[in-house]
Amino acid sequence: MGRQPCCDKLKVKKGPWTAEEDKKLVAFILSNGHCCWRAVPKLAGLLRCGKSCRLRWTNYLRPDLKRGLLTDAEEKLVIDLHASLGNRWSKIASKLPGRTDNEIKNHWNTHIKKKLLKMGIDPVTHKLLNDQTSSTVAASPNSTVTDDGKFSKKHESVDQENAINQISKEAESTNPQQNCSNFINRDDQVLGFLWDDEMPFTDKLWSSPLSIEAWERSSEWLLDYQDFGIGDLELERVENAGFADEQIKLN
DNA sequence: AAGATTTGCAACCGCATGAAA
DNA sequence: GTTTCATGCGGTTGCAAATCT
């Protein structure tokens, strides 16, 4: 006897969410929280699977999400983290406040991968493409790397330790051709917080109560960006400033 | 202008994991 | 110890928008 489906697939709606559905979901979560995702669609009056609700909330409706393209600083962090962690997008996303694993994964596949290839860098190994003798960054007796660049979840702390050692080794290297990561401007103070498991300021944000009005105020981009696609430059400017502020706070 | 192709991203699917019964 | 269930994660797909021919 296998596992039952999380919902009755015949009676659930699929595909893009409407503004009405978004509003229902947000209103429900802001007033009730999401103790059990399976119950959310029924209680919120949505013909959706609980899984779909969770995804919509975490990837799109959460009030603390940033919108727009990743900044240069964020992109560099993603590349660094990918070199150390591989395709563990949720782990990478946890180090970039306001960004989701889905967003980072998409940005990696559509932008960063191409950029690295253009620079002659293998996006899987983070080594120069013509450097046949190099092994992967995280390859060590204590970590496992699969063909597609996935890292084993076992020995995580050892992997992280190796990664930190690797990053400091890279920083010491003076020859830009030796390792692709040298093109990244290192900021040790920034990298320092990357290995902390907690991101205190996002936790604070989540623990504070939020009204539907507050959500609507903080999510005006939903109208601006989803329906009309305006304000990208202004948004980017604000986000860049915000990200810089967060880094200053952390330092 | 119109059709073909490419790109970017939201959403889905299946699997893994851990907790509860 | 086994089964069931809820949730999270990473890979993949589908489709609208953008770009090319």
Side-chain angles (χ1 to χ4, degrees):
Chain A
M1 189 171 166
R3 208 178 118 185
Q4 288 183 346
C6 67
C7 50
D8 183 352
K9 295 194 176 187
L10 293 174
K11 291 181 184 172
V12 297
K13 191 184 165 199
K14 286 165 75 174
W17 281 65
T18 64
E20 192 61 31
E21 287 176 310
D22 282 345
K23 207 161 186 175
K24 276 185 184 176
L25 180 59
V26 169
F28 178 81
I29 291 177
L30 291 183
S31 53
N32 302 289
H34 51 78
C35 59
C36 169
W37 280 112
R38 195 175 189 180
V40 165
K42 200 175 181 182
L43 295 171
L46 291 161
L47 290 173
R48 291 276 181 176
C49 172
K51 204 172 181 177
S52 178
C53 293
R54 178 177 58 82
L55 222 60
R56 182 64 178 172
W57 174 257
T58 55
N59 286 341
Y60 207 81
L61 298 174
R62 262 167 49 192
D64 65 324
L65 286 181
K66 286 185 187 179
R67 306 301 299 177
L69 288 173
L70 270 70
T71 63
D72 286 347
E74 287 175 310
E75 210 169 81
K76 283 169 187 171
L77 283 181
V78 170
I79 294 167
D80 262 358
L81 289 165
H82 187 273
S84 309
L85 302 169
N87 291 0
R88 288 159 67 184
W89 305 114
S90 63
K91 202 80 185 164
I92 293 172
S94 71
K95 306 302 179 189
L96 283 106
R99 300 294 187 183
T100 68
D101 54 349
N102 205 36
E103 189 178 12
I104 291 170
K105 180 172 60 181
N106 281 335
H107 191 79
W108 178 269
N109 288 326
T110 56
H111 294 102
I112 300 176
K113 227 176 178 178
K114 287 173 194 169
K115 265 189 197 175
L116 293 178
L117 285 169
K118 218 171 185 180
M119 295 169 76
I121 294 163
D122 186 336
V124 175
T125 63
H126 292 253
K127 296 285 179 182
L128 291 173
L129 281 168
N130 58 5
D131 185 1
Q132 299 294 329
T133 58
S134 302
S135 56
T136 58
V137 169
S140 77
N142 295 318
S143 63
T144 310
V145 184
T146 60
D147 289 344
D148 60 352
K150 278 193 206 166
F151 287 66
S152 164
K153 286 190 178 180
K154 294 172 189 171
H155 318 300
E156 186 169 7
S157 58
V158 179
D159 281 351
Q160 291 191 350
E161 202 176 308
N162 287 338
I164 294 166
N165 291 338
Q166 181 66 32
I167 284 170
S168 35
K169 273 183 199 167
E170 288 167 15
E172 284 168 18
S173 169
T174 53
N175 181 357
Q177 294 298 311
Q178 289 294 317
N179 193 303
C180 67
S181 293
N182 286 324
F183 82 86
I184 297 163
N185 295 321
R186 299 273 177 229
D187 184 337
D188 291 344
Q189 285 181 303
V190 173
L191 289 171
F193 84 80
L194 294 176
W195 304 110
D196 293 334
D197 276 330
E198 306 298 332
M199 292 300 291
F201 51 88
T202 48
D203 288 348
K204 274 180 207 158
L205 208 159
W206 274 99
S207 60
S208 61
L210 192 69
S211 65
I212 184 74
E213 291 79 16
W215 175 84
E216 279 176 341
R217 275 199 303 278
S218 68
S219 303
E220 279 170 0
W221 50 265
L222 263 178
L223 285 176
D224 293 346
Y225 300 96
Q226 190 171 18
D227 296 338
F228 306 113
I230 57 173
D232 290 345
L233 289 173
E234 179 63 12
L235 182 74
E236 194 175 341
R237 192 186 63 75
V238 170
E239 281 177 349
N240 286 339
F243 188 70
D245 287 345
E246 284 163 6
Q247 294 205 357
I248 289 164
K249 275 185 218 162
L250 285 162
N251 293 334

